Amino acid sequence: MGWIAFYALLAIGLIAAFALWRKWISPWKDARELADDIVEQRPPRKVLISGNPEAQLVGLALETLMDRRSELEKRVRESEASAQTILGAMLDGLAVVDERRTVRLMNREFRRMFDLAETVSGGTLLELAHHPIVDRLAAEAIRSQEPQRESIELARGPGERRELELSAVPFGENSAEMKGAVILFRDVSHFRKVETMRRDFVANVSHELRTPLSILRGYLETLLDDPDQPPGELRRILEIMERHSNRLNALVEDILSLARLESPGIELHLAEVDLPELLHGIMRDWEKRFAAKQLKSHLNFPGNLPRLPADATRLQELIYNLLDNAVKYSKPGGTVSLRAELAGNSVRISVADQGQGIPPGDLPRIFERFYRVDKSRGGEQSGTGLGLSIVKHIAQLHGGTVEAESELGKGTTISVLLPVAR
Ligand code: ADP
């Protein structure tokens, strides 16, 4: 009897202990696991806590905490993503550094400028940009709390440099939180290039105008000093003056033509040009010039030429420039050929001559403004050096391209490819 009571009591005790454990101990264990999950940012194994009401309340509070945190994380992710989108869309490089010049934020353009892989996520400004001036500028902005500006040069590939304009703006002067600077990197290489081109152009124009002008002035002075020249001499002087005034005129015409072609608002008067008709007309206009230099001429095009969407006046100017060169650089007795043919979706118009040709070293440069193969060549052959840049401009305005082939002493072919469908 005594044994039975003992076992019964033991059983009751165990059951009570188990119930007690389930009600008071186990919920706290669950609550701790839930808290651990939240701290470790793991998905919780168990959310609902059953058992004693206190533990249930703690469980509920933990659950709310978890929801709030994931909501907060989502918002941070969203605002980070939109900040990255905005920064990524910027054409300038941007980096945000803290007081110690550790980079806290950078955009895609900054990575591109300093060749940083996507995997590079941080470091000091000096480590990432490898440029002491950049680091100094940021330090100076943070120290003085004044915006700073400076230009630097970066190597971009072999032999190519680019110029960056930097501005560093400090932030967080009176704030107990982060202090640092925003640094903006603007690539101004293109502006510099345009600026240099403009300066070169002005220098070239002045140089080209100076020669004929000084010759004209010289002869004018001769005539003013001694107007009674022998008739033969007077004629010779007037002829020279005429030649140089023609040259001045050609220069001014070409410069104006180029300026018009380059002006941003230029409009092409596009029409469906009947090429055979245009080419026949041009050959008729040029008969006299060919004959004057005893040149044979040849026109060639297939029967299936489509109508070409082009500005007829400009197209004629283009072909005139090519024919002008072909005649100028040909020897008497040679042939000048004007050809048109279909080439894929384009029409190729080319002018070929059997003249002196162009040395291979000069060939890639002949479309540059004022480029002449032999600058010392005088007389009739001394062109302006602008004809082929005008040709190239007109071709490009039509969405086309230019090509040149030449063999020294044998002849030259200059072609333009103009798209049929625009
Ligand atoms: P230019 O008015 O001097 O002819 P272009 O721009 O038309 O200027 O041509 C640039 C240079 O290219 C010329 O100075 C000449 O040296 C060379 N060139 C152009 N076309 C020919 C050609 N058909 N044959 C030989 N050389 C040519």
Side-chain angles (χ1 to χ4, degrees):
M1 193 56 195
W3 283 107
I4 293 171
F6 172 74
Y7 281 121
L9 267 176
L10 189 67
I12 291 168
L14 280 174
I15 290 166
F18 179 68
L20 215 68
W21 179 84
R22 280 217 38 192
K23 191 160 171 66
W24 294 107
I25 315 277
S26 153
W28 291 118
K29 205 172 145 263
D30 289 348
R32 209 197 67 213
E33 274 177 9
L34 183 59
D36 282 349
D37 286 343
I38 293 173
V39 171
E40 298 290 332
Q41 303 195 8
R42 284 191 300 251
R45 275 163 285 182
K46 191 170 179 186
V47 178
L48 264 183
I49 294 173
S50 53
N52 79 60
E54 285 294 314
Q56 273 175 10
L57 284 177
V58 171
L60 271 176
L62 282 175
E63 214 186 306
T64 319
L65 193 70
M66 196 175 69
D67 288 347
R68 287 239 180 102
R69 203 186 63 186
S70 55
E71 176 65 22
L72 217 62
E73 276 173 357
K74 200 174 125 211
R75 276 205 218 146
V76 169
R77 271 199 304 275
E78 276 170 7
S79 79
E80 257 178 18
S82 54
Q84 278 305 333
T85 311
I86 296 168
L87 295 183
M90 284 176 65
L91 296 176
D92 296 336
L94 177 136
V96 178
V97 296
D98 63 16
E99 212 170 352
R100 294 175 152 167
R101 282 148 14 242
T102 301
V103 176
R104 294 296 194 97
L105 198 71
M106 56 186 147
N107 71 350
R108 201 179 318 144
E109 190 53 28
F110 177 82
R111 286 179 186 280
R112 213 179 57 80
M113 283 173 169
F114 296 100
D115 279 332
L116 299 172
E118 280 296 318
T119 44
V120 178
S121 58
T124 64
L125 194 57
L126 197 58
E127 283 164 357
L128 298 189
H130 290 295
H131 209 298
I133 297 179
V134 178
D135 188 55
R136 204 199 63 219
L137 199 77
E140 189 54 27
I142 298 168
R143 192 196 60 76
S144 66
Q145 287 298 308
E146 294 281 342
Q148 306 287 321
R149 276 172 171 278
E150 181 114 34
S151 296
I152 60 164
E153 275 205 352
L154 283 187
R156 177 173 53 180
E160 211 188 331
R161 306 194 67 75
R162 67 170 149 184
E163 193 175 336
L164 299 183
E165 228 168 62
L166 263 63
S167 36
V169 182
F171 64 83
E173 184 186 9
N174 302 316
S175 126
E177 291 173 11
M178 194 171 125
K179 224 170 140 180
V182 178
I183 311 150
L184 213 61
F185 303 79
R186 172 159 296 182
D187 192 336
V188 290
S189 324
H190 179 68
F191 299 116
R192 292 283 177 273
K193 210 163 134 191
V194 172
E195 174 78 17
T196 313
M197 272 166 66
R198 194 191 57 81
R199 242 196 322 249
D200 287 354
F201 185 68
V202 172
N204 276 326
V205 168
S206 326
H207 177 81
E208 294 290 334
L209 293 177
R210 194 176 295 144
T211 316
L213 276 176
S214 66
I215 290 172
L216 282 177
R217 206 180 55 202
Y219 282 111
L220 270 177
E221 273 166 14
T222 311
L223 290 181
L224 283 173
D225 282 352
D226 184 7
D228 300 321
Q229 299 281 340
E233 183 60 9
L234 185 64
R235 185 165 186 87
R236 194 186 67 87
I237 290 175
L238 289 177
E239 273 170 8
I240 295 175
M241 288 176 74
E242 188 194 21
R243 206 164 60 233
H244 285 283
S245 80
N246 284 344
R247 178 164 168 69
L248 265 182
N249 198 44
L251 256 171
V252 171
E253 286 292 325
D254 278 358
I255 291 168
L256 283 179
S257 191
L258 206 57
R260 269 194 297 269
L261 290 170
E262 284 183 347
S263 72
I266 175 159
E267 272 184 31
L268 288 183
H269 300 288
L270 288 182
E272 297 288 315
V273 174
D274 180 346
L275 268 180
E277 190 187 308
L278 182 86
L279 300 180
H280 274 301
I282 291 176
M283 285 314 245
R284 267 197 306 277
D285 294 346
W286 277 73
E287 258 167 27
K288 275 205 184 115
R289 287 248 355 234
F290 293 137
K293 208 167 169 179
Q294 291 124 51
L295 291 170
K296 292 187 273 293
S297 65
H298 190 69
L299 174 62
N300 188 287
F301 54 81
N304 65 346
L305 270 188
R307 285 181 172 264
L308 186 69
D311 183 323
T313 314
R314 302 264 181 231
L315 190 56
Q316 174 164 317
E317 187 183 353
L318 182 158
I319 298 172
Y320 270 33
N321 271 302
L322 294 182
L323 289 174
D324 189 52
N325 282 347
V327 170
K328 221 163 34 180
Y329 303 111
S330 278
K331 294 180 286 282
T335 302
V336 173
S337 315
L338 173 59
R339 270 189 223 114
E341 64 201 328
L342 251 181
N345 288 328
S346 299
V347 168
R348 179 198 300 273
I349 300 174
S350 48
V351 171
D353 64 58
Q354 299 170 330
Q356 62 195 57
I358 302 166
D362 293 296
L363 202 56
R365 300 196 57 190
I366 56 170
F367 292 98
E368 288 174 21
R369 292 161 168 180
F370 293 112
Y371 192 82
R372 274 172 296 180
V373 173
D374 186 355
K375 298 199 179 347
S376 62
R377 264 192 321 225
E380 193 224 358
Q381 282 212 340
S382 144
T384 61
L386 291 174
L388 287 182
S389 10
I390 292 174
V391 167
K392 185 174 166 185
H393 261 87
I394 297 178
Q396 284 175 342
L397 282 175
H398 285 83
T401 52
V402 288
E403 283 170 6
E405 272 174 65
S406 188
E407 204 177 329
L408 216 50
K410 291 258 168 71
T412 304
T413 304
I414 312 267
S415 317
V416 292
L417 276 149
L418 305 175
V420 175
R422 282 168 59 83

